[in-house]
Every structure is written in structure tokens, then in C-alpha cells.
Coordinates of all heavy atoms in Angstrom, one line a residue:
T20 N 26.3 -7.8 48.5 CA 25.6 -7.5 47.2 C 26.3 -6.4 46.4 O 26.9 -5.5 47.0 CB 24.1 -6.9 47.4 OG1 23.4 -7.9 48.2 CG2 23.3 -6.6 46.3
I21 N 26.4 -6.6 45.1 CA 27.0 -5.6 44.2 C 25.8 -4.8 43.5 O 24.9 -5.4 43.1 CB 27.8 -6.2 43.0 CG1 28.9 -7.0 43.6 CG2 28.3 -5.2 42.1 CD1 30.2 -6.2 44.1
R22 N 26.0 -3.5 43.7 CA 24.9 -2.7 42.9 C 25.7 -1.9 42.0 O 26.7 -1.5 42.0 CB 24.2 -1.8 44.0 CG 23.6 -2.5 45.1 CD 22.7 -1.7 45.9 NE 21.8 -0.8 45.2 CZ 20.6 -0.4 45.5 NH1 20.3 -0.7 46.8 NH2 20.0 0.5 44.9
F23 N 24.9 -1.6 40.7 CA 25.7 -0.9 39.6 C 25.0 0.4 39.4 O 23.8 0.5 39.2 CB 25.5 -1.9 38.3 CG 26.5 -3.0 38.3 CD1 26.0 -4.3 38.7 CD2 27.7 -2.8 37.9 CE1 27.0 -5.3 38.7 CE2 28.7 -3.8 37.9 CZ 28.3 -5.1 38.3
A24 N 25.8 1.4 39.2 CA 25.6 2.7 38.8 C 25.5 2.6 37.3 O 26.4 2.1 36.6 CB 26.4 3.7 39.3
E25 N 24.5 3.0 36.6 CA 24.3 2.9 35.2 C 24.8 4.3 34.4 O 24.2 5.4 34.9 CB 22.9 2.6 34.7 CG 22.5 1.2 35.2 CD 23.1 0.0 34.8 OE1 23.8 0.1 33.7 OE2 23.0 -1.2 35.3
P26 N 25.5 4.2 33.4 CA 25.7 5.5 32.6 C 24.5 5.7 31.8 O 23.6 5.0 31.5 CB 26.9 5.0 31.7 CG 26.7 3.6 31.5 CD 26.2 3.1 32.9
D27 N 24.5 7.0 31.4 CA 23.4 7.6 30.5 C 23.6 6.9 29.2 O 24.6 6.8 28.6 CB 23.7 9.1 30.3 CG 22.6 9.6 29.4 OD1 22.5 9.2 28.3 OD2 21.9 10.5 29.9
P28 N 22.5 6.1 28.8 CA 22.6 5.3 27.6 C 23.0 6.0 26.4 O 23.4 5.6 25.3 CB 21.3 4.7 27.5 CG 20.4 5.3 28.4 CD 21.2 6.1 29.4
E29 N 22.5 7.3 26.3 CA 22.8 8.2 25.1 C 24.1 8.7 25.0 O 24.8 8.7 24.0 CB 21.7 9.4 25.1 CG 20.3 9.0 25.1 CD 19.8 8.8 23.8 OE1 20.2 9.4 22.8 OE2 19.0 7.8 23.6
T30 N 24.8 9.1 26.1 CA 26.0 9.8 26.1 C 27.2 9.0 26.7 O 28.3 9.3 26.6 CB 26.0 11.1 26.9 OG1 25.7 10.7 28.4 CG2 24.9 12.1 26.4
L31 N 26.8 8.0 27.5 CA 27.7 7.2 28.3 C 28.5 7.9 29.3 O 29.4 7.5 29.9 CB 28.7 6.3 27.3 CG 28.0 5.3 26.4 CD1 29.0 4.8 25.4 CD2 27.2 4.4 27.0
D32 N 27.9 9.0 29.7 CA 28.4 9.8 30.8 C 27.9 9.2 32.0 O 26.9 8.4 32.1 CB 28.1 11.2 30.8 CG 28.6 12.0 29.7 OD1 29.8 11.7 29.4 OD2 28.1 13.0 29.1
L33 N 28.7 9.3 33.2 CA 28.2 8.8 34.5 C 28.1 9.9 35.4 O 29.1 10.3 36.1 CB 29.1 7.7 35.0 CG 28.8 7.0 36.3 CD1 27.5 6.1 36.0 CD2 29.9 6.3 36.9
P34 N 26.8 10.6 35.5 CA 26.8 11.6 36.5 C 26.8 11.2 37.8 O 26.5 10.0 38.1 CB 25.4 12.2 36.0 CG 24.6 11.0 35.4 CD 25.7 10.3 34.7
A35 N 27.2 12.0 38.8 CA 27.3 11.7 40.2 C 25.9 11.2 40.6 O 25.8 10.2 41.4 CB 27.7 12.9 41.0
G36 N 24.8 11.7 40.1 CA 23.5 11.2 40.5 C 23.3 9.7 40.2 O 22.4 9.1 41.0
A37 N 23.9 9.2 39.2 CA 23.8 7.8 38.9 C 24.4 7.1 40.0 O 23.8 5.9 40.4 CB 24.5 7.4 37.6
V38 N 25.4 7.3 40.6 CA 26.0 6.7 41.7 C 25.2 6.9 42.9 O 24.9 6.1 43.7 CB 27.5 7.1 41.9 CG1 28.1 6.5 43.1 CG2 28.4 6.8 40.7
E39 N 24.8 8.2 43.3 CA 24.1 8.5 44.4 C 22.8 7.6 44.4 O 22.3 7.2 45.5 CB 23.6 10.0 44.5 CG 24.9 10.8 44.7 CD 24.8 12.4 44.5 OE1 23.6 12.6 44.0 OE2 25.6 13.0 44.7
A40 N 22.2 7.3 43.2 CA 20.8 6.7 43.1 C 20.9 5.2 43.6 O 20.0 4.7 44.0 CB 20.4 6.6 41.8
V41 N 22.1 4.6 43.7 CA 22.2 3.2 44.2 C 22.9 3.1 45.5 O 23.1 2.0 46.1 CB 23.0 2.4 43.2 CG1 22.1 2.1 41.8 CG2 24.5 2.9 42.7
L42 N 23.2 4.3 46.1 CA 23.7 4.2 47.5 C 22.7 4.0 48.5 O 21.5 4.3 48.2 CB 24.4 5.5 47.8 CG 25.6 6.0 47.1 CD1 26.1 7.5 47.4 CD2 26.8 5.0 47.2
S43 N 23.0 3.2 49.5 CA 22.1 2.9 50.5 C 22.8 2.9 51.9 O 23.9 3.1 51.9 CB 21.4 1.6 50.3 OG 22.2 0.5 50.7
D44 N 22.0 2.7 53.0 CA 22.7 2.7 54.3 C 23.5 1.5 54.5 O 24.4 1.2 55.4 CB 21.7 2.6 55.5 CG 20.7 1.7 55.5 OD1 20.5 0.9 54.4 OD2 19.9 1.5 56.5
R45 N 23.5 0.5 53.5 CA 24.2 -0.7 53.5 C 25.5 -0.6 52.7 O 26.3 -1.4 52.6 CB 23.5 -2.0 53.1 CG 22.2 -2.2 54.0 CD 22.5 -2.7 55.3 NE 23.5 -3.9 55.3 CZ 24.0 -4.4 56.4 NH1 23.7 -4.0 57.6 NH2 24.8 -5.4 56.2
T46 N 25.6 0.5 52.0 CA 26.7 0.7 51.0 C 28.0 0.9 51.9 O 28.1 1.7 52.8 CB 26.7 2.0 50.2 OG1 25.4 1.7 49.4 CG2 27.8 2.1 49.2
R47 N 29.0 0.0 51.6 CA 30.3 0.2 52.3 C 31.5 0.5 51.5 O 32.4 1.2 52.0 CB 30.7 -1.3 52.9 CG 29.6 -1.9 53.9 CD 29.5 -0.9 55.2 NE 28.5 -1.4 56.1 CZ 27.3 -0.8 56.1 NH1 27.0 0.3 55.3 NH2 26.4 -1.3 57.0
W48 N 31.4 0.2 50.1 CA 32.5 0.7 49.3 C 32.0 1.2 47.9 O 30.8 0.6 47.4 CB 33.5 -0.4 49.0 CG 34.3 -0.6 50.3 CD1 34.0 -1.5 51.2 CD2 35.5 -0.1 50.6 NE1 35.0 -1.5 52.2 CE2 35.9 -0.5 51.9 CE3 36.2 1.0 50.0 CZ2 37.0 -0.1 52.5 CZ3 37.5 1.4 50.6 CH2 37.8 0.9 51.9
V49 N 32.5 2.1 47.2 CA 32.1 2.5 45.9 C 33.4 2.5 45.0 O 34.4 3.1 45.4 CB 31.6 4.0 46.0 CG1 31.3 4.3 44.6 CG2 30.3 3.9 46.9
A50 N 33.2 1.5 44.1 CA 34.5 1.4 43.0 C 34.0 2.1 41.8 O 33.3 1.5 41.1 CB 34.7 0.0 43.0
V51 N 34.5 3.3 41.5 CA 34.2 4.0 40.4 C 35.4 4.3 39.6 O 36.4 4.9 40.2 CB 33.5 5.4 40.7 CG1 33.1 6.2 39.6 CG2 32.2 4.9 41.5
T52 N 35.4 4.2 38.3 CA 36.5 4.6 37.4 C 36.7 6.0 37.4 O 35.7 6.7 37.6 CB 36.4 3.9 36.1 OG1 37.5 4.1 35.3 CG2 35.1 4.6 35.2
A53 N 37.9 6.6 37.2 CA 38.2 8.0 36.9 C 38.1 8.2 35.4 O 37.9 9.3 35.1 CB 39.4 8.3 37.5
A54 N 38.2 7.2 34.6 CA 37.9 7.3 33.2 C 37.8 6.0 32.6 O 38.5 5.1 32.8 CB 39.3 7.9 32.5
S55 N 36.9 5.8 31.9 CA 36.5 4.5 31.3 C 37.4 4.2 30.1 O 37.7 4.9 29.2 CB 35.1 4.5 30.6 OG 34.8 3.3 30.1
N56 N 38.1 2.8 30.2 CA 38.9 2.6 29.0 C 38.1 2.1 27.9 O 38.7 1.8 26.9 CB 39.9 1.6 29.7 CG 39.4 0.2 29.8 OD1 38.2 0.1 30.3 ND2 40.2 -0.9 29.7
A57 N 36.9 1.8 28.1 CA 36.0 1.2 27.1 C 35.5 2.3 26.1 O 35.4 2.2 24.9 CB 34.9 0.4 27.7
V58 N 35.0 3.4 26.7 CA 34.3 4.5 25.9 C 35.0 5.9 26.2 O 34.5 6.8 25.5 CB 32.7 4.4 26.2 CG1 32.1 3.2 25.8 CG2 32.5 4.9 27.7
G59 N 36.0 6.0 27.0 CA 36.6 7.2 27.2 C 35.9 8.3 28.1 O 36.2 9.4 28.2
A60 N 34.7 7.7 28.7 CA 33.9 8.7 29.5 C 34.7 9.0 30.7 O 35.4 8.2 31.3 CB 32.7 8.1 29.9
V61 N 34.7 10.2 31.2 CA 35.2 10.6 32.5 C 34.1 11.1 33.5 O 33.4 12.1 33.3 CB 36.2 11.9 32.3 CG1 36.7 12.3 33.5 CG2 37.3 11.5 31.3
P62 N 33.9 10.2 34.4 CA 32.7 10.4 35.3 C 32.9 11.6 36.2 O 34.0 12.1 36.5 CB 32.7 9.1 36.3 CG 33.3 8.0 35.4 CD 34.5 8.7 34.6

């Protein structure tokens, strides 16, 4: 299954808590950008 961490809709920032919120005991990999090429956010 793919689970998505959602950015803040107002700022498009991706706080660590957004990723933590979708982690589970079944999470095997986390693929997170270091800088969004779409909006310039740096998680």
C-alpha cells in the first residue's frame, strides 16, 4: 500500500508530523523529497 503524507494546504510546508501521522508498524519505506520542485517547499 502507498500512504501519502499531506502538506499543509495553506503553506504547502510538510512538517515532520505529517509524515509521522501516516507511519504504521507496516511502513517499510518512506520516500520524501528534500525540496519540492513544484512549490519550492523544503520539508
Side-chain angles (χ1 to χ4, degrees):
T20 301
I21 298 286
R22 297 185 56 149
F23 283 95
E25 302 288 346
D27 180 298
E29 300 276 325
T30 65
L31 298 178
D32 288 334
L33 184 72
V38 175
E39 292 167 356
V41 294
L42 297 177
S43 79
D44 62 342
R45 298 296 306 183
T46 303
R47 299 296 175 259
W48 288 92
V49 177
V51 177
T52 187
S55 171
N56 72 325
V58 298
V61 177

